[in-house]
Amino acid sequence: MDDLESIYRQNADTVFRFLMAKTGSLDLSEELTQETFYQAIKSIDRFDGSCRISSWLCGIAKNLLYTHFRETARNPLPIDDVPEPATASAEDIVVTREETKRIRKAIDDHPDPGGEILRLRLFGGLSFKQIGEIMGRTETWARVNYYRAKQSIVKELSEDDE
């Protein structure tokens, strides 16, 4: 039992952040994090050690998330939940929301692995090391692909402004 508690303590935050990057919903991410660990306990005998446990857990989380989206037909990355600064004018809030929508759409439309890395880093707050582990690659690979995807989106958005 101590081993399972240790696995939870070491990996719950990574799984939660992974799900936050995918959903943008605190409640759904918390719910799916718990379900991920429940499913992991049920199928721990299938973990063969060929990857990191965090990668295996994020794989379970991804499958649960896709099942959830199929069942509810929800958009995996909500774009209307933009925080509003307390001192912002109504015009500033509208501009901020529109800009955020443009950026999120560009990230959603960006091909993987770059789009996936951007979501995990920007919306999930995962480190490059964690992203590399989840994707079965190195930290350096995650950094390079993040930089390339970010540059591509900046270029795309600046071209749209012209």
Side-chain angles (χ1 to χ4, degrees):
M1 188 58 130
D2 287 338
D3 289 338
L4 293 175
E5 288 178 29
S6 175
I7 289 170
Y8 180 83
R9 279 194 309 277
Q10 293 172 0
N11 296 284
D13 188 56
T14 299
V15 171
F16 174 77
R17 288 173 178 232
F18 172 80
L19 289 165
M20 273 298 293
K22 297 277 194 187
T23 68
S25 167
L26 180 67
D27 292 337
L28 180 58
S29 297
E30 288 174 347
E31 179 184 328
L32 290 176
T33 297
Q34 296 306 315
E35 182 65 19
T36 296
F37 281 92
Y38 172 72
Q39 293 299 326
I41 289 169
K42 285 176 44 178
S43 60
I44 194 71
D45 57 318
R46 287 187 271 170
F47 178 66
D48 61 6
S50 63
C51 64
R52 291 181 181 255
I53 192 113
S54 61
S55 298
W56 181 67
L57 290 167
C58 286
I60 293 171
K62 181 174 69 172
N63 290 335
L64 289 169
L65 181 62
Y66 290 160
T67 299
H68 171 78
F69 286 141
R70 272 194 307 274
E71 291 172 357
T72 61
R74 285 188 48 196
N75 180 358
L77 195 56
I79 58 175
D80 295 326
D81 299 334
V82 178
E84 299 173 3
T87 59
S89 69
E91 182 180 356
D92 290 339
I93 291 169
V94 169
V95 169
T96 301
R97 283 186 176 177
E98 291 305 312
E99 279 300 306
T100 301
K101 286 179 183 180
R102 280 184 64 217
I103 293 167
R104 286 192 177 191
K105 180 165 181 6
I107 291 171
D108 282 346
D109 293 345
H110 197 279
D112 288 335
E116 180 77 3
I117 294 168
L118 285 166
R119 284 186 291 277
L120 292 173
R121 179 77 176 157
L122 298 175
F123 305 132
L126 294 176
S127 70
F128 290 113
K129 182 178 180 184
Q130 290 170 316
I131 293 169
E133 288 173 0
I134 288 167
M135 299 186 87
R137 301 293 186 106
T138 65
E139 178 180 349
T140 303
W141 177 88
R143 285 180 185 278
V144 167
N145 281 281
Y146 172 82
Y147 177 78
R148 288 178 181 161
K150 185 175 76 169
Q151 291 302 106
S152 173
I153 287 177
V154 167
K155 181 180 177 187
E156 175 187 329
L157 292 175
S158 65
E159 288 173 355
D160 288 347
D161 290 338
E162 293 176 357

